[in-house]
Amino acid sequence: MKKYILILSLLITASSINASEYWQKIDFDNIDTTMIEQAITDEVNRIRKKHDLQSLKYSQCLYNAAKTHSNNMVKYGFFGHTNRHDSATMYYYQRIGDECGDYNYIGENCESNYLLNFKGRYYETIRKNGKTYYRNPITKIRYQPHTYRSFAKDVVKQWMDSKGHRENILHWRYRYMAIGIAISKSSIKRGFPKVKITQTFSYGERLVTSEELGESIKKAAERMKEREMKKQ
């Protein structure tokens, strides 16, 4: 019988992207999904560094699991950890286990967000020259697309404002992470692209022994003690 230590919370590719590219506005006719995934990854690791935690490494098998779930959320029109439309990928530990094998410690965050930098609850729809735009009904100012950077910051901020998501992002045991996204084609046509995002975590890329896990916990406790002594 398989045994897992699990962390669940609702809500990377190896980078060759110049960080300055993150500041460009997202072109809805040519959305760079890889850049979105990398921008979110970099923002997560920036937050971890701010909290004296090591950066999370990319894992291809974790990416496969994350991408599969995001694609299914778009395909079947749902949001959450549980995919009730496919028993083979219903639970996140199935998805990660099928791609990566057994893990001692795994987790998942989910998020649904818009590429349009839209704040508030209300908007007006404007159709002009065959395209659809959205604007504030009071100020009449048109909502603009996010930049890759601003979208990543918005996604991670929502995770950090939620206790469970935050615990996953700042968990000291995790060593690997991947971000996989999918975008509804119909929402792109409407000019209001909606993104489903899955973030997967693991302690390692293989099953670790209880001795290894215990040694890791011991070392982490020692590092925490050293940091506390430096603060005194």
Side-chain angles (χ1 to χ4, degrees):
M1 182 178 179
K2 296 180 180 179
K3 294 182 179 180
Y4 303 90
I5 304 174
L6 306 176
I7 284 186
L8 186 63
S9 180
L10 183 60
L11 182 276
I12 345 186
T13 56
S15 178
S16 59
I17 298 171
N18 189 322
S20 63
E21 296 180 60
Y22 292 158
W23 293 105
Q24 62 181 296
K25 284 186 178 180
I26 300 173
D27 179 358
F28 293 170
D29 293 324
N30 187 27
I31 300 171
D32 190 333
T33 56
T34 298
M35 192 179 294
I36 292 174
E37 291 165 349
Q38 187 61 51
I40 296 172
T41 296
D42 289 353
E43 179 64 12
V44 168
N45 279 330
R46 186 188 72 81
I47 295 295
R48 283 179 62 88
K49 184 177 180 181
K50 186 178 178 180
H51 287 81
D52 296 323
L53 295 166
Q54 66 181 10
S55 295
L56 297 172
K57 300 176 183 178
Y58 171 75
S59 166
Q60 182 63 47
C61 65
L62 285 178
Y63 177 76
N64 294 342
K67 196 74 169 181
T68 293
H69 190 54
S70 290
N71 285 336
N72 282 335
M73 283 195 286
V74 168
K75 179 180 179 180
Y76 296 114
F78 74 96
F79 174 64
H81 293 286
T82 305
N83 176 11
R84 301 187 184 281
H85 304 272
D86 181 4
S87 60
T89 60
M90 181 175 291
Y91 301 112
Y92 80 104
Y93 53 82
Q94 287 178 293
R95 298 187 288 270
I96 296 176
D98 289 345
E99 291 289 346
C100 308
D102 289 346
Y103 279 120
N104 285 80
Y105 218 94
I106 58 176
E108 181 182 88
N109 283 344
C110 294
E111 173 62 25
S112 180
N113 211 323
Y114 294 98
L115 292 181
L116 201 65
N117 198 349
F118 168 70
K119 304 296 182 185
R121 299 175 58 188
Y122 306 103
Y123 59 84
E124 285 182 337
T125 303
I126 307 297
R127 292 179 176 83
K128 185 177 180 181
N129 299 326
K131 288 194 173 183
T132 303
Y133 304 97
Y134 300 87
R135 68 184 185 185
N136 186 296
I138 298 175
T139 65
K140 306 302 181 183
I141 296 175
R142 184 192 298 179
Y143 292 117
Q144 297 296 317
H146 268 292
T147 65
Y148 289 91
R149 172 71 168 165
S150 67
F151 180 73
K153 288 178 71 68
D154 194 43
V155 169
V156 176
K157 182 181 184 302
Q158 290 189 49
W159 278 337
M160 291 298 289
D161 288 343
S162 167
K163 184 176 182 293
H165 299 92
R166 180 186 176 90
E167 288 177 352
N168 268 343
I169 288 174
L170 299 181
H171 208 290
W172 61 269
R173 277 200 182 105
Y174 289 140
R175 298 291 181 267
Y176 295 88
M177 173 188 69
I179 302 290
I181 73 166
I183 306 173
S184 164
K185 291 182 180 180
S186 61
S187 70
I188 296 176
K189 291 180 180 178
R190 293 196 304 271
F192 217 133
K194 190 172 186 179
V195 186
K196 297 295 177 67
I197 307 156
T198 305
Q199 179 182 35
T200 48
F201 303 87
S202 74
Y203 173 82
E205 289 199 305
R206 62 181 178 83
L207 184 67
V208 299
T209 65
S210 58
E211 290 79 9
E212 289 174 321
L213 185 60
E215 185 63 25
S216 176
I217 294 172
K218 180 180 178 182
K219 289 181 179 179
E222 291 174 351
R223 289 195 297 269
M224 292 176 65
K225 184 177 180 180
E226 289 175 0
R227 286 199 292 268
E228 289 299 321
M229 291 179 67
K230 289 179 181 179
K231 293 179 181 179
Q232 294 178 357

